[in-house]
Amino acid sequence: MLKKSSWIAGLGLVCAAGFATWYSFGWQTNKHNPDALWHIVHERCANGAKPCTIYDASHGFALLHSVEGRGQYLLIPTKKVPGIESADLLGPDVPNYFAQAWSFREYVSRSYGVSVPDRELSLAINSVSGRTQNQLHIHLDCLKPEVRRELDAMAGNFGPSWVDLPIRLEGHAYRGLYLSDLGRSPFQILAAEIAQPQMHMRDHTLVVAPLGAGFALLDDTAHGLDRASGEELQDHSCRDYVKPV
């Protein structure tokens, strides 16, 4: 039987290790700390510490390799931006965070150890009710294979204006439009047709996926049991290209 002093010392080590793990990864696992992601980027990455892959204050973003999935990355502003509802996203000089995130898609392939074609990748940001963190983060990872097939089947429905899609994606009714490129911020594209974006942007999710020579921009709105979490369209195992470990 362990002596009491040894048991207490051992418990202390376990608690310390648990705290260190939470501090590094708690933004993924501890829903009671919605600011954990901000603290990681602002207090650790800004000071040259891990776990950010890139911290670029001059361009206003950090790239963080997520602990959820081998190849998922998060593009995060270096300043405090709570999420899709932030008025800061609609200013004339705000960085185009979606375009920034897309420019780092090669990191997904590197992490999976295989070459993932661009058309199998995607970007997503969740609504206020569909997220656990109050710091804007764009998810960069593979698209679910079935969603890829469904988007291809609906390619003819996409045009320059929003249309309700005839096929539900992961059981939810999305609408979409076609973008020839990511030159204009998807946040501003969405806000331009919402009567009161300062009130209603919070309820939306946005997903970007390659389609033809350009991109499909997808939008869903939180209502009922639908939390508008566009991340649901992503595959954090990239199962069509990566063998299970």
Side-chain angles (χ1 to χ4, degrees):
M1 183 175 181
L2 288 173
K3 292 182 179 180
K4 185 176 181 180
S5 58
S6 298
W7 180 84
I8 292 174
L11 180 61
L13 290 173
V14 170
C15 290
F19 177 80
T21 300
W22 173 85
Y23 189 72
S24 295
F25 305 117
W27 56 271
Q28 282 286 351
T29 60
N30 191 329
K31 295 182 180 181
H32 301 292
N33 183 23
D35 295 316
L37 184 56
W38 166 246
H39 289 306
I40 288 173
V41 172
H42 181 66
E43 296 171 6
R44 300 187 65 192
C45 299
N47 294 314
K50 293 180 179 180
C52 288
T53 302
I54 297 173
Y55 183 88
D56 188 340
S58 63
H59 293 94
F61 73 89
L63 187 70
L64 177 65
H65 190 184
S66 175
V67 296
E68 184 181 57
R70 283 172 54 192
Q72 182 185 187
Y73 283 83
L74 305 177
L75 192 289
I76 307 161
T78 53
K79 72 174 186 176
K80 186 62 175 171
V81 181
I84 192 170
E85 74 279 13
S86 177
D88 289 342
L89 297 173
L90 308 182
D93 300 321
V94 67
N96 186 338
Y97 295 117
F98 272 93
Q100 287 179 333
W102 187 247
S103 72
F104 293 108
R105 60 194 181 277
E106 67 183 65
Y107 282 83
V108 177
S109 292
R110 290 184 194 177
S111 293
Y112 282 124
V114 297
S115 179
V116 181
D118 283 358
R119 64 176 263 104
E120 306 299 334
L121 299 174
S122 59
L123 304 170
I125 187 167
N126 300 325
S127 72
V128 169
S129 60
R131 72 183 192 221
T132 60
Q133 287 296 299
N134 290 332
Q135 174 63 13
L136 187 147
H137 53 288
I138 295 176
H139 300 260
L140 167 61
D141 206 350
C142 291
L143 193 66
K144 286 182 176 176
E146 58 271 25
V147 174
R148 177 71 271 166
R149 292 190 293 270
E150 289 162 345
L151 290 179
D152 289 341
M154 294 186 290
N157 295 86
F158 287 85
S161 300
W162 290 104
V163 295
D164 294 330
L165 299 180
I167 300 175
R168 286 177 171 261
L169 302 175
E170 293 299 297
H172 295 136
Y174 282 80
R175 61 177 184 158
L177 59 74
Y178 179 78
L179 301 177
S180 59
D181 56 43
L182 295 179
R184 185 182 177 198
S185 168
F187 295 118
Q188 298 183 3
I189 292 172
L190 175 63
E193 59 86 44
I194 296 179
Q196 295 178 300
Q198 68 275 15
M199 293 180 59
H200 301 300
M201 283 283 285
R202 63 183 287 114
D203 297 323
H204 290 260
T205 181
L206 288 172
V207 178
V208 170
L211 187 70
F215 299 88
L217 178 60
L218 307 174
D219 168 47
D220 182 27
T221 307
H223 60 282
L225 297 178
D226 182 355
R227 296 185 303 141
S229 181
E231 187 188 355
E232 68 183 355
L233 306 186
Q234 295 184 318
D235 177 10
H236 295 318
S237 67
C238 207
R239 61 186 182 272
D240 263 14
Y241 288 87
V242 181
K243 294 180 180 179
V245 177

